[in-house]
Amino acid sequence: MTTLTDPPKETFRLSMLINDTRYRSLTFQAIAAIILALSFWYLLNNLFQNLAAAGLNISYSFFGESAGYDINQRLIEYDSQSSHGRAAVVGILNTLLVAFLACITATIFGVVAGVLRLSNNWLVSKLMAFYVEIFRNIPVLIWIIIIFTIMTAVLPAPRAFRGDEPAASMLFGSAAFTNRGVYIPGPWFSRPLFDVAVLNWLLVLAFLVGSFFGARALGRWATKVQEATGDRPVTWYFSLGIWLVPFLALMVIMGLSWEYPALKGFNFSGGIKIGGPLIALWFALSIYTGAFIAENVRAGIQAINKGQTEAAASLGLRPGRVMNLVVLPQALRVIIPPLISQYLNITKNSSLAIAVGYADITATLGGITLNQTGRAIECVLLLMLFYLTISLLISAFMNVYNSSIKLKER
């Protein structure tokens, strides 16, 4: 039942999709989505028609065929008789390895250079400015080739370690630095809990992750006690125990042992090999991207009001403590967003590994496998999917961290 004060009910008309501001934006978005979907359908339909006309079809059955090529640097078992699928997995792991290592070292280089560039010491400041301007303005491919060339020219060949009076000797009798790479002792378990080696290392990683969260919980408890009493309890020995006791106990249970490299034939065998191409790519990506990160760090520090530094200094804090406890924690809100882009650049620039013969995913799936099988469309699509997935995961993780350190407003 309606009354005289009730407004008349408005009926929907098609013209309202354009004339009414409540529906206009939705209408345009729907039209754009339909056009985009039709465009994708047209492109895919055109692709399949052209493949059918050429007598081709999209198939990934080649992943089960024998690869027929060797990969020197690998994290899992692989030989020339393994499948193309396993070769692609080796390439993926190699890409993730160099990207992970380069992100860590580039961050260290960038933070150190960014902080020191603001030093009151004129020489240190200018040296860091020289590093930044030189390394970030020369393409990373050139640095990869330069570092690889220096390694192969300066370091001794494995044959220099042979003989009663060798020209070169192993460091502490356990590590060898050669022009083919670095050989260091490798850990292995004499009493593994699982038959698959990867599962044993995942268990070790799980223990370390548990220790990390345990140490964080201890730190939060100490903070609560400090807020309640004004006195922070000493917890460093408990933190050390949380990290070491479970880890050492697990190592004893699993029988941690070490395999040392030894010269056999024309090269070293045993232990862990860090190949020259991996070192060249790792170090080049680190120093190149570290120069960009240094500028991000410098900008973040300079974005903090000088009053913060002066207030901390007035409390008697030394310059190093002021930087670690006051300036850098606030500067992270400015540093993290551009840092995400630098991590993405490291991951994508790792595809230049083919220049020095490092078998990443671009060299295996997008290189040798593509040339042997002729499946260009399949290989390129998978390459695009891999880099897209890794980039989105890095962005998601870093955005979560960025949200955790931003200012919390009431």
Side-chain angles (χ1 to χ4, degrees), residues 34-324:
I34 293 173
I35 294 176
L36 184 62
L38 291 176
S39 300
F40 275 113
W41 176 84
Y42 171 77
L43 293 174
L44 290 175
N45 184 60
N46 186 55
L47 171 64
F48 287 118
Q49 286 182 356
N50 291 334
L51 289 175
L56 302 174
N57 65 322
I58 293 181
S59 173
Y60 292 94
S61 60
F62 66 91
F63 274 130
E65 301 174 0
S66 176
Y69 60 91
D70 292 319
I71 299 177
N72 291 328
Q73 186 75 49
R74 54 186 181 269
L75 297 178
I76 60 175
E77 292 296 327
Y78 173 86
D79 56 44
S80 59
Q81 300 306 312
S82 299
S83 64
H84 285 292
R86 193 166 186 85
V89 173
V90 172
I92 289 174
L93 293 177
N94 285 346
T95 299
L96 296 177
L97 173 65
V98 72
F100 176 74
L101 294 175
C103 284
I104 293 177
T105 49
T107 303
I108 296 173
F109 290 159
V111 171
V112 172
V115 172
L116 292 182
R117 191 170 182 187
L118 298 174
S119 172
N120 293 326
N121 188 306
W122 182 88
L123 180 60
V124 171
S125 176
K126 294 304 178 184
L127 283 176
M128 292 300 102
F130 177 79
Y131 158 71
V132 170
E133 297 303 331
I134 290 296
F135 282 94
R136 73 172 181 169
N137 289 309
I138 296 178
V140 64
L141 178 60
I142 296 179
W143 289 118
I144 295 173
I145 296 174
I146 289 175
I147 295 174
F148 183 73
T149 303
I150 293 176
M151 282 191 58
T152 54
V154 173
L155 294 178
R159 64 174 178 270
F161 294 82
R162 183 181 290 111
D164 296 333
E165 296 182 359
S169 60
M170 299 179 67
L171 181 65
F172 303 118
S174 59
F177 295 82
T178 73
N179 58 2
R180 297 184 183 179
V182 177
Y183 299 84
I184 59 176
W188 65 282
F189 300 114
S190 59
R191 299 185 297 273
L193 299 180
F194 302 99
D195 295 332
V196 182
V198 176
L199 295 179
N200 294 302
W201 288 110
L202 288 177
L203 179 62
V204 174
L205 179 61
F207 267 67
L208 293 176
V209 172
S211 298
F212 170 77
F213 285 107
R216 286 194 63 182
L218 179 64
R220 288 194 295 267
W221 171 81
T223 301
K224 290 181 179 179
V225 173
Q226 181 182 10
E227 292 175 351
T229 63
D231 185 20
R232 187 177 183 88
V234 179
T235 59
W236 67 267
Y237 44 86
F238 289 110
S239 297
L240 189 63
I242 290 174
W243 279 103
L244 290 182
V245 172
F247 178 76
L248 294 178
L250 181 64
M251 294 300 100
V252 171
I253 293 173
M254 299 178 67
L256 177 65
S257 303
W258 296 91
E259 181 185 21
Y260 292 88
L263 184 61
K264 296 181 180 179
F266 297 100
N267 205 350
F268 283 89
S269 62
I272 296 177
K273 175 187 177 182
I274 307 176
L278 170 59
I279 296 175
L281 182 65
W282 172 16
F283 193 59
L285 290 175
S286 299
I287 58 177
Y288 175 78
T289 312
F292 289 92
I293 295 177
E295 287 296 273
N296 297 337
V297 172
R298 182 174 67 90
I301 293 174
Q302 291 182 327
I304 304 303
N305 194 298
K306 289 185 178 180
Q308 298 284 326
T309 304
E310 295 171 352
S314 68
L315 296 176
L317 294 178
R318 290 173 293 182
R321 303 286 288 177
V322 172
M323 180 62 67
N324 293 332

